[in-house]
Structure formats: C-alpha cells, structure tokens
C-alpha cells in the first residue's frame, strides 16, 4: 500500500525546452508537493569545490548526461527526506538505468508514481532555448550544447516512454500552448481519477 497521504508522486518528463521545469514548479505549488529538480540540484553540485564537481560542470556544459551514480545519489537522498509528502520529480529519469533505479527507490519507500510526458516539437523547443540563452546565461544554452541535449533526449526517450506506457503510468500532454494553458492540461490530467486506479 502507498505510504503517501496525498496521492502518487508525479514525474514530469520532456525534452530540453519542453517546459518541464516551468510546469513541475507550478504543479508542485498546486499539489503542495516537494519539487525535485535534478538539473538544478546538479547545477548546485557543480559549483561545489571538488574534482567530481568539476567533471559534472564539464559534462553539463557539453549537454551530456552526468555519471548516473551522482544523479542517482542526489535523487535517493531527496526521496528519503520526503517523508509522506508528495513529490513532483523532474529531470530524472533520463535513461533506462535511471528508470529502474527510480522504480526501486520509490518502491523501497512504498511510493507510487504517475508519469507526465510534455510533448513538444523540437523546432519550438529549440526556439524557446535560444530565447532563454539571450536572457539567462546557462552554460549549456549554446547551440552546440542544445543540439547535444536534444540528441541525448531522443536517444533515450523511446524506451523510457515504452516503460511507462507498459506499466500504465504514462500521461501525454501537448506542451505547444502557453504556460497557463499547459498548466491547466497538466492539472486536469492529474485530477482525473481514471489513471490513479491503474497505479
Ligand atoms: P536540465 O536543467 O533539466 O535541462 P534540460 O532537460 O535540457 O531542460 P531545460 O531546463 O532546458 O528545459 P525544460 O524542459 O525544463 O523547460 P523550461 O521550463 O526550463 O538538465 C541540464 C543538464 O543536467 C543535462 O543536460 C545533464 O547534463 C544534467 N542532468 C540533469 N538531470 C540528469 C540526470 N538525471 N542524469 C544525468 N545528467 C543529468 O523552459 C525552457 C524555456 O522555455 C524557459 O525560458 C521558459 O520560460 C520557456 N517556456 C516554458 N514553457 C513555455 C511555454 N509554454 N511557452 C513559451 N515559453 C515557455
């Protein structure tokens, strides 16, 4: 039986620029859940003063995945401190090994999960990221790093989506709307009870 008081955790998934961070932040506020943002945790880690942090910063700047051991450690710690509070998880998993690791972490804490995939055409996502690059200064918002992040996403996404489809946890949302309209679609999908019976 689920240990969670308020419902299953929600994993927000999507390619670079799909709006997963924006929507995860809004959904966490809507559900009064904790927001686990793997990319932000890793950016903070990359600023610490160690050889490992330097290697993480280098991988991130290229748009490559950081070693799974590091991201999985961060996620394991975060989940173990969540108690009964619901989680909105974003940026993890990004590979099948992370999918299996997350299933294991959540089940060891008697937690269940739903998986929301925000689908967006690559051209729209790339345009959003290039716009953000002019406003913010993320090291991985160069055209080359954006292209690599998109490539890595497409390399992994088919198997990841198949896993969540097979385990009846996949909810697909069209992310090609305004932030507010997408937020409404996500909230409606989460409130819809039909999928909660399956998990
Ligand atoms: P991460 O920070 O997660 O980057 P990402 O996956 O490339 O995603 P982005 O942050 O670029 O986009 P997003 O989908 O979150 O969209 P956002 O809401 O920001 O990860 C960075 C790196 O960390 C990885 O490349 C990897 O190196 C490492 N990493 C992270 N997790 C890892 C893991 N598990 N294992 C190994 N390595 C890992 O929106 C993008 C822009 O669009 C914003 O400017 C936003 O304001 C705008 N926007 C959002 N929604 C809309 C909308 N509806 N309409 C118009 N604009 C919008």
């Amino acid at each position: 039986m689920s240990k969670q008081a308020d419902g299953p955790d929600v994993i927000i998934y999507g390619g670079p620029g799909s709006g997963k961070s924006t929507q995860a932040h809004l959904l966490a506020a809507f559900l009064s859940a904790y927001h686990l943002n793997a990319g932000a945790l890793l950016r903070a880690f990359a600023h610490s003063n160690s050889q490992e942090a330097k290697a993480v910063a280098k991988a991130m700047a290229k748009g490559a995945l950081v070693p799974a051991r590091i991201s999985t450690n961060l996620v394991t710690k975060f989940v173990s401190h969540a108690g009964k509070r619901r989680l909105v998880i974003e940026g993890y998993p990004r590979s099948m090994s992370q999918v299996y690791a997350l299933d294991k972490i959540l089940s060891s804490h008697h937690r269940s999960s739903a998986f929301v995939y925000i689908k967006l055409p690559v051209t729209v996502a790339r345009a959003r990221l290039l716009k953000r690059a002019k406003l913010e200064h993320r090291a991985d918002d160069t055209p080359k790093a954006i292209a690599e992040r998109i490539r890595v996403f497409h390399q992994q996404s088919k198997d990841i989506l198949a896993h969540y489809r097979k385990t009846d946890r996949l909810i697909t949302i069209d992310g090609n709307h305004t932030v507010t309209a997408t937020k409404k679609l996500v909230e409606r999908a989460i409130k819809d009870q039909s999928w909660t019976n399956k998990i």
Side-chain angles (χ1 to χ4, degrees):
M1 202 173 85
S2 172
K3 185 181 162 188
Q4 292 144 278
D6 305 327
D9 296 325
V10 182
I11 301 161
I12 304 275
Y13 183 72
S18 60
K20 61 187 176 297
S21 190
T22 304
Q23 293 301 328
H25 175 76
L26 293 168
L27 184 66
F30 178 72
L31 297 175
S32 299
Y34 286 135
H35 176 191
L36 192 173
N37 179 337
L41 287 177
L42 287 166
R43 266 186 290 282
F45 179 82
H47 281 111
S48 57
N49 195 17
S50 68
Q51 281 305 111
E52 209 166 44
K54 280 184 194 140
V56 166
K58 204 171 160 190
M60 290 179 80
K62 279 198 287 192
L65 294 184
V66 312
R69 180 178 47 81
I70 296 172
S71 54
T72 302
N73 269 345
L74 291 174
V75 171
T76 304
K77 278 189 196 151
F78 197 103
V79 174
S80 66
H81 286 109
K84 289 197 171 191
R85 191 90 173 258
R86 207 169 177 182
L87 290 173
V88 174
I89 300 170
E90 164 232 334
Y92 192 99
R94 290 185 196 244
S95 64
M96 283 311 290
S97 64
Q98 293 185 12
V99 165
Y100 297 129
L102 184 59
D103 277 352
K104 204 168 152 192
I105 295 165
L106 294 179
S107 74
S108 75
H109 289 275
H110 310 288
R111 306 180 73 98
S112 55
S113 56
F115 188 88
V116 175
Y117 169 42
I118 302 180
K119 195 173 175 184
L120 191 72
V122 170
T123 46
V124 181
R126 194 184 289 114
R128 285 185 189 174
L129 294 178
L130 292 173
K131 187 175 169 194
R132 181 175 70 188
K134 288 185 188 152
L135 304 170
E136 298 173 23
H137 298 96
R138 253 177 69 163
D140 59 351
D141 272 349
T142 61
K144 198 172 168 196
I146 289 170
E148 178 59 10
R149 279 152 62 207
I150 291 171
R151 189 193 69 77
V152 170
F153 171 74
H154 285 294
Q155 190 183 51
Q156 307 287 343
S157 61
K158 201 172 158 210
D159 289 347
I160 293 177
L161 293 170
H163 173 82
Y164 287 99
R165 189 178 296 112
K166 205 166 97 189
T167 52
D168 279 335
R169 287 177 285 171
L170 177 65
I171 300 165
T172 301
I173 299 287
D174 179 1
N176 203 0
H177 300 285
T178 62
V179 170
T180 309
T182 309
K183 174 180 183 282
K184 281 187 189 147
L185 291 175
V186 173
E187 289 173 0
R188 197 181 304 151
I190 294 300
K191 279 195 286 187
D192 174 7
Q193 293 299 303
S194 60
W195 58 271
T196 56
N197 299 327
K198 297 178 185 166
I199 52 182

